[in-house]
């Protein structure tokens, strides 16, 4: 079908909301409203911005929706304690949005179009991130504080709701230069780097390479000062240079100019993080969630993240498991308990839904079809990201699971 400017406008809004639904400050402050908006636009796009849904695609979408709903129902029936049905309804809303979005793009668009629209959005995020970082030095004396509605102990400072910073948690001094880690439009720098690295993957490995955009993206990733983000970036750059170095030997010097500062920056960064709350929190989340999985392997404890936060505060880690981790990693676990959510999406999924269901969902996750080009590299980016951030059940990352499940059912709905 012919794609008009109206189609492109709504598709762009739809994908923009999809990205912001997973870590964006827009959804942090107005989660309920914009989750409904995302669902509504996805439904509108499916029914009014495309052709009639093909029978095979309809059957695939229906089977995916029914199976996912069945998993949620089973989880609610066998969950521990008194969990909020509203939280389960919220998961169903996100699942429905993802299914409708995928059905729309599969039926009415194609993969290259999806990636081109996403690339355009990620470029906007890139340009904003650079401005957010540079303008800090001009606006830092005119910031005011706003608290997160779902975490009253967390704050972010803003300049007229245009730029956002967290100086208390993210201030750094490198070579005498003070700066704040760049979180862009997201609630922490570690999430900003994920989308910047996806853009680097698209620019360097999927589309015709724009060297200026690649260089700007590298700079923006460095401004997030995220260890995992810089490591992911270096892996992507290795693949980019591997395919181009024979044609452009000068890229060797570019690679060296990146590797040397990367070594000195990450050296101090890693040493610092091993002693900081950030590392200890992730280390504790990994060990404790595995300990809970060991106690509730079949059905998990439920999808209510508030219940999980309360439950984990009184759960003691198995001593044998703890000793095994400390001996194998040589890292001492200093944190003893917490009432916060888990930063590890992979192990949290297993805790919430049990090993059998979560294993199938992770299988679908790796079988996604949204990014067919250099698929293993993209999944490396996403896997590392959701292993260190609580994002897997947010729409942008949940859609990977939905994509893989629809691909699985497509074999039976020709």
């Amino acid at each position: 079908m012919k794609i008009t400017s109206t189609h492109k406008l709504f598709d762009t809004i739809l994908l923009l909301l999809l990205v912001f639904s997973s870590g964006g400050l827009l959804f942090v402050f107005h989660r309920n409203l914009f989750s409904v908006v995302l669902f509504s636009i996805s439904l509108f796009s499916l029914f009014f911005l495309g052709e009639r849904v093909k029978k095979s695609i309809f059957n695939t979408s229906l089977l995916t929706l029914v199976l996912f709903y069945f998993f949620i129902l089973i989880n609610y029936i066998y969950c521990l304690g008194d969990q909020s049905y509203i939280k389960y309804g919220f998961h169903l809303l996100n699942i429905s949005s993802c299914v409708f979005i995928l059905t729309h793009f599969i039926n009415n668009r194609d993969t290259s179009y999806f990636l081109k629209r996403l690339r355009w959005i990620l470029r906007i995020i890139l340009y904003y991130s650079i401005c957010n970082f540079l303008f800090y030095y001009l606006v830092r004396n005119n910031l005011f504080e706003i608290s997160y509605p779902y975490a009253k102990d967390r704050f972010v400072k803003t300049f007229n709701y245009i730029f956002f910073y967290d100086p208390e948690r993210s201030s750094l001094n490198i070579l005498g230069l003070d700066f704040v880690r760049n979180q862009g439009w997201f609630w922490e720098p570690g999430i900003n780097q994920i989308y910047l690295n996806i853009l680097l993957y698209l620019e360097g490995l999927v589309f015709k390479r724009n060297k200026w955009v690649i260089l700007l993206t590298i700079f923006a990733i460095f401004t997030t000062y995220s260890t995992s983000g810089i490591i992911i970036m270096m892996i992507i750059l290795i693949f980019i240079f591997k395919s181009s170095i024979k044609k452009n030997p000068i890229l060797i010097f570019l690679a060296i100019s990146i590797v040397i500062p990367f070594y000195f920056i990450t050296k101090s960064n890693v040493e610092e993080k091993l002693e900081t709350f950030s590392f200890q929190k992730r280390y504790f989340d990994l060990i404790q969630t595995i300990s809970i999985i060991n106690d509730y392997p079949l059905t998990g404890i439920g999808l209510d993240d508030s219940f999980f936060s309360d439950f984990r505060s009184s759960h003691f880690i198995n001593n044998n498991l703890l000793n095994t981790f400390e001996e194998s990693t040589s890292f001492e676990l200093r944190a003893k308990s917490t009432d916060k959510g888990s930063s590890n999406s992979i192990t949290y999924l297993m805790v919430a839904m049990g090993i059998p269901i979560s294993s199938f969902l992770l299988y679908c996750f790796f079988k996604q079809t949204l990014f067919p080009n250099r698929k293993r590299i993209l999944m490396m980016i996403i896997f590392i990201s959701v292993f260190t951030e609580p994002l897997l059940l947010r729409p942008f990352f949940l859609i990977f699971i939905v994509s893989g499940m629809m691909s699985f059912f497509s074999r039976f709905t020709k």
Side-chain angles (χ1 to χ4, degrees), residues 1-12 14 41-52 104-105 107-109 113:
M1 63 171 292
K2 182 180 179 180
I3 299 176
T4 66
S5 57
T6 301
H7 293 153
K8 289 183 179 180
L9 174 63
F10 275 92
D11 290 342
T12 301
L14 185 60
I41 295 179
S42 65
L43 200 59
F44 174 82
S45 299
L46 178 61
F47 283 104
F48 297 104
L49 298 178
E51 300 173 343
R52 180 178 179 181
H104 165 61
F105 277 98
N107 189 73
N108 304 312
R109 311 291 187 259
Y113 173 85

Side-chain angles (χ1 to χ4, degrees), residues 57 79 93 101 103 144 173 190 226 238 259 273 284 342:
I57 297 175
C79 66
L93 180 68
I101 291 170
T103 303
F144 62 90
N173 183 292
S226 166
I238 288 172
V259 169
K273 279 200 169 186
F284 179 78
S342 175

Side-chain angles (χ1 to χ4, degrees), residues 96-374:
S96 301
S97 297
C98 291
V99 171
F100 294 152
I101 291 170
L102 272 177
T103 303
H104 165 61
F105 277 98
I106 293 173
N107 189 73
N108 304 312
R109 311 291 187 259
D110 56 39
T111 301
S112 62
Y113 173 85
F114 171 84
L115 295 180
K116 287 176 182 177
R117 288 290 90 197
L118 180 61
R119 178 199 192 192
W120 189 87
I121 291 167
L122 295 179
R123 281 189 174 188
I124 299 299
I125 290 173
L126 165 66
Y127 301 142
Y128 171 82
S129 293
I130 293 174
C131 291
N132 190 67
F133 176 74
L134 296 178
F135 274 76
Y136 173 72
Y137 300 98
L138 299 177
V139 304
R140 58 183 173 181
N141 295 323
N142 297 287
L143 303 177
F144 62 90
E145 195 173 79
I146 50 177
S147 61
Y148 292 129
Y150 303 106
K152 296 299 183 181
D153 59 332
R154 284 290 309 276
F155 302 90
V156 64
K157 291 189 176 182
T158 179
F159 174 74
N160 295 331
Y161 299 98
I162 299 173
F163 301 116
F164 301 90
Y165 311 95
D166 191 351
E168 281 71 25
R169 291 169 59 95
S170 301
S171 294
L172 292 170
N173 183 292
I174 297 180
L175 301 177
L177 178 65
D178 293 318
F179 72 94
V180 175
R181 296 174 62 202
N182 187 4
Q183 65 185 75
W185 270 312
F186 303 95
W187 67 274
E188 74 169 31
I191 298 177
N192 192 25
Q193 65 82 15
I194 296 172
Y195 295 107
L196 292 173
N197 270 310
I198 293 176
L199 175 61
L200 183 62
Y201 153 83
L202 290 174
E203 293 289 348
L205 298 172
V206 177
F207 296 104
K208 184 178 180 180
R209 298 169 191 171
N210 186 313
K211 294 179 181 178
W212 284 110
V213 174
I214 290 176
L215 289 173
L216 288 174
T217 306
I218 292 170
F219 170 73
I221 293 171
F222 271 120
T223 66
T224 68
Y225 207 70
S226 166
T227 302
S228 58
I230 295 174
I231 291 173
I232 292 172
M233 179 190 73
M234 293 305 302
I235 295 173
I236 297 172
L237 290 176
I238 288 172
F239 283 100
I240 293 175
F241 295 146
K242 181 181 177 181
S243 60
S244 303
I245 207 156
K246 292 181 180 179
K247 297 180 180 179
N248 301 288
I250 196 172
L251 291 178
I252 296 175
F253 298 102
L254 177 61
I256 293 173
S257 67
I258 294 172
V259 169
I260 292 177
F262 165 76
Y263 169 78
F264 288 106
I265 291 175
T266 55
K267 181 177 183 293
S268 60
N269 190 20
V270 170
E271 288 174 352
E272 179 185 350
K273 279 200 169 186
L274 291 180
E275 303 298 328
T276 61
F277 173 80
S278 177
F279 173 80
Q280 283 292 324
K281 174 68 165 63
R282 285 175 168 80
Y283 191 38
F284 179 78
D285 286 342
L286 175 63
I287 298 176
Q288 191 194 46
T289 49
I290 291 176
S291 178
I292 299 174
I293 293 167
N294 186 59
D295 294 338
Y296 302 92
L298 294 179
T299 59
I301 66 172
L303 280 164
D304 186 339
D305 54 352
S306 298
F307 175 84
F308 169 76
S309 298
D310 294 335
F311 176 86
R312 73 180 309 191
S313 63
S314 59
H315 183 274
F316 295 98
I317 297 174
N318 182 287
N319 286 329
N320 292 331
L321 177 66
L322 176 59
N323 292 334
T324 300
F325 266 93
E326 290 186 333
E327 290 174 3
S328 59
T329 62
S330 300
F331 295 138
E332 177 188 357
L333 180 64
R334 298 179 180 178
K336 300 302 178 184
S337 66
T338 181
D339 59 355
K340 306 293 184 182
S342 175
S343 61
N344 191 318
S345 299
I346 302 295
T347 55
Y348 173 74
L349 180 67
M350 295 180 180
V351 166
M353 305 195 74
I355 293 176
I357 291 178
S358 60
S359 296
F360 176 70
L361 295 180
L362 289 174
Y363 167 81
C364 294
F365 173 71
F366 285 105
K367 292 295 182 179
Q368 65 83 26
T369 57
L370 285 170
F371 294 79
N373 307 87
R374 311 296 288 270

